[in-house]
């Protein structure tokens, strides 16, 4: 068993300076822990399934949601072909893209059904919710039903 474990690759160590998306996750998690104690946020780092969203969120009712985190220094939002494909396949699910504008620090929430508009027009495309308050984000994600 020891031999098998020693052949596994080591996990990458996080860099000392936080990437903007990591900072967004930390801020989201801090708000959730303080204000939504009966919910859970889980960060998913995966290379097994490219395009899978960054966050698995279980709201206070136990309903699951997926969030892709993005940041943008301007109006453009970089969405990989794998992320685009995932969101297109899950348009009837509670799958979301949360973008933080780095100049204004405003939050833009897009449902997966809006992914083409976001990909083509960036933050100029009308979001489901535009706010600076995480409570608005959690309310929109938890309250929407797409069936």
């Amino acid at each position: 068993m020891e031999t098998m474990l020693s052949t596994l690759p080591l996990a990458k160590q996080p860099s000392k300076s936080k990437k903007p998306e990591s900072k967004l996750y930390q801020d989201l998690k801090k708000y959730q822990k303080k204000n939504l104690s009966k919910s859970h946020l889980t960060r998913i780092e995966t290379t097994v399934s490219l395009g899978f969203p960054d966050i698995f969120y279980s709201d206070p009712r136990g309903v699951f949601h997926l969030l892709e985190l993005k940041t943008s220094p301007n109006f453009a939002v970089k969405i990989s072909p794998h992320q685009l494909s995932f969101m297109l396949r899950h348009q009837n699910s509670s799958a979301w893209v949360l973008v933080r504008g780095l100049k204004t620090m405003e939050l833009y929430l897009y449902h997966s059904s809006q992914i083409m508009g976001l990909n083509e027009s960036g933050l100029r495309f009308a979001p489901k919710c535009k706010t600076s308050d995480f409570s608005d984000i959690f309310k929109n994600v938890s309250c929407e039903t797409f069936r």
Side-chain angles (χ1 to χ4, degrees), residues 35-40 57-63 65 138 142:
N35 299 288
L36 300 166
S37 62
K38 292 186 178 184
S39 68
H40 303 281
Y57 170 57
S58 173
D59 71 21
R61 299 171 297 153
V63 177
H65 312 276
F138 284 104
S142 295

Side-chain angles (χ1 to χ4, degrees), residues 17-127:
S17 63
K18 287 185 181 175
K19 292 181 182 178
E21 282 180 20
S22 295
K23 174 75 170 107
L24 174 56
Y25 171 71
Q26 293 300 324
D27 293 346
L28 199 63
K29 183 78 172 171
K30 184 177 175 181
Y31 177 87
Q32 175 265 325
K33 279 188 169 188
K34 182 177 179 183
N35 299 288
L36 300 166
S37 62
K38 292 186 178 184
S39 68
H40 303 281
L41 275 179
T42 303
R43 180 97 192 238
I44 301 168
E45 291 293 340
T46 180
T47 56
V48 175
S49 179
L50 296 175
F52 197 85
D54 301 317
I55 305 292
F56 185 74
Y57 170 57
S58 173
D59 71 21
R61 299 171 297 153
V63 177
F64 298 121
H65 312 276
L66 297 169
L67 288 99
E68 177 64 39
L69 301 181
K70 296 287 181 189
T71 57
S72 177
N74 47 39
F75 289 102
V77 179
K78 293 180 185 176
I79 301 170
S80 78
H82 297 288
Q83 292 166 334
L84 188 65
S85 176
F86 184 94
M87 289 295 173
L88 286 171
R89 285 191 322 263
H90 295 88
Q91 292 183 59
N92 294 325
S93 304
S94 186
W96 303 83
V97 179
L98 176 60
V99 185
R100 178 184 269 171
L102 295 177
K103 287 184 181 175
T104 63
M105 300 306 278
E106 283 191 291
L107 302 166
Y108 300 77
L109 182 66
Y110 296 89
H111 183 258
S112 56
S113 62
Q114 298 177 289
I115 195 67
M116 291 305 292
L118 177 60
N119 189 50
E120 293 166 4
S121 303
L123 296 180
R124 289 184 176 92
F125 188 75

